[in-house]
Amino acid sequence: MAAYALFDNIEVSDPDKLAEYASRVRAVVESYGGAYRAVGGQVDVLEGTAMLGYPVLIEFPDLQTAHRWYDSPDYRELKALRQAGSRANAIIFETAPSDLLDA
């Protein structure tokens, strides 16, 4: 089942580091079968109090691949660059079987 990495980018402290990260990360994501599904845009809260700053959603073939990408030597340097230039929340989640998805 597909899995997603969701990053909520809260604050950018070093735009140059984040720009370098952005220029290099797509190739690494794609080498693990990942594909960007959403990057930024307006966020409207419909229920509750959750607020995303600048969301980024990446789809992977499965949960194991998503974790392999995030923990990989290929991504390690880029992750450190992103973390040095910004503050974010990040989660990886797997889609669950659901009748809602079959409709």
Side-chain angles (χ1 to χ4, degrees):
M1 282 180 242
Y4 296 87
L6 175 62
F7 292 86
D8 175 19
N9 296 289
I10 300 166
E11 177 186 10
V12 175
S13 56
D14 190 329
D16 293 335
K17 286 181 180 173
L18 209 54
E20 181 181 349
Y21 170 85
S23 73
R24 297 171 49 198
V25 71
R26 181 179 296 273
V28 176
V29 166
E30 290 176 351
S31 74
Y32 283 82
Y36 284 84
R37 296 297 180 222
V39 177
Q42 182 174 328
V43 176
D44 296 329
V45 176
L46 301 177
E47 296 183 22
T49 58
M51 179 49 78
L52 298 174
Y54 188 88
V56 175
L57 184 67
I58 307 170
E59 181 179 5
F60 289 93
D62 54 51
L63 193 61
Q64 294 76 16
T65 303
H67 279 285
R68 275 199 322 272
W69 161 74
Y70 186 79
D71 296 329
S72 72
D74 301 327
Y75 185 59
R76 186 174 295 126
E77 176 189 349
L78 292 173
K79 183 182 355 179
L81 187 63
R82 177 180 53 77
Q83 291 172 336
S86 66
R87 188 170 56 91
N89 292 316
I91 62 168
I92 293 176
F93 64 96
E94 181 178 52
T95 56
S98 171
D99 293 340
L100 295 174
L101 298 176
D102 295 332

